[in-house]
Amino acid sequence: MTLPEVEASGEAAHFRALESLYAAAPINRLFESTLEIPAPGVARIHFTIDDRYYHAAGAAHGTSYFKMLDDAAFYAANSLVTDRFLLTTAFNLLLTKPLKQGPVIAEGRWVSGQRRVFVAEARLIDATGEEAARGTGTFMRSRIPLAGLPGYRPGE
């Protein structure tokens, strides 16, 4: 699997602009988290689970798993696309361990696709270093230009 070409000169600016776009999304007022894109095709989301995210049995609700896995995989894929916003077209989850209070990292990685459809995967790593969930998503180029989205600010 070979990474698609991202213009090296604008790569860091694109990554920072995607991180800014993530931070500006209204949904992240409900799910406090930070995104980092350290390399092409890689994204990490840092967040903390607390009882606000619990279901009735005292562990994180599945919405937390899905949101963070989808976002990590999405941004890993969109790190390779500099002109358009991607859209999730499918996402499969495997929940392997209940998430309790503490820090969690969602690690996303691009798997394949270079033109219209991209595949990326993600996993959740809990405070003990164990995997709590994993997922694989399919993402498609949209007609939405990144440059027109509030929060996407390359070069800042």
Side-chain angles (χ1 to χ4, degrees):
M1 107 181 121
T2 308
L3 286 173
E5 302 268 333
V6 174
E7 190 175 314
S9 64
E11 180 178 88
H14 174 57
F15 295 169
R16 301 302 77 83
L18 286 174
E19 291 165 355
S20 176
L21 181 66
Y22 179 84
I27 187 71
N28 290 321
R29 289 183 214 131
L30 298 173
F31 291 92
E32 297 168 20
S33 54
T34 57
L35 168 70
E36 68 169 314
I37 301 173
V42 178
R44 287 189 200 100
I45 297 173
H46 300 265
F47 64 105
T48 301
I49 291 293
D50 61 42
D51 60 5
R52 292 177 296 164
Y53 305 107
Y54 282 8
H55 53 56
H61 189 276
T63 55
S64 301
Y65 291 81
F66 171 74
K67 193 254 191 247
M68 297 307 177
L69 289 167
D70 177 53
D71 283 356
F74 167 88
Y75 280 96
N78 220 144
S79 73
L80 304 173
V81 179
T82 58
D83 61 338
R84 299 286 174 191
F85 187 76
L86 298 180
L87 299 173
T88 304
T89 58
F91 204 90
N92 293 309
L93 297 173
L94 175 62
L95 310 179
T96 56
K97 180 182 174 187
L99 282 173
K100 298 286 189 170
Q101 286 194 0
V104 182
I105 298 173
E107 298 178 337
R109 295 201 177 277
W110 169 82
V111 174
S112 67
Q114 298 185 23
R115 290 199 167 82
R116 186 168 159 85
V117 176
F118 294 76
V119 175
E121 60 189 12
R123 61 193 197 128
L124 296 183
I125 306 301
D126 71 11
T128 67
E130 290 186 38
E131 183 177 291
R134 66 175 46 236
T136 303
T138 305
F139 307 91
M140 188 170 87
R141 283 182 191 265
S142 74
R143 294 182 178 150
I144 304 165
L146 281 169
L149 295 174
Y152 185 83
R153 299 182 297 269
E156 286 188 17

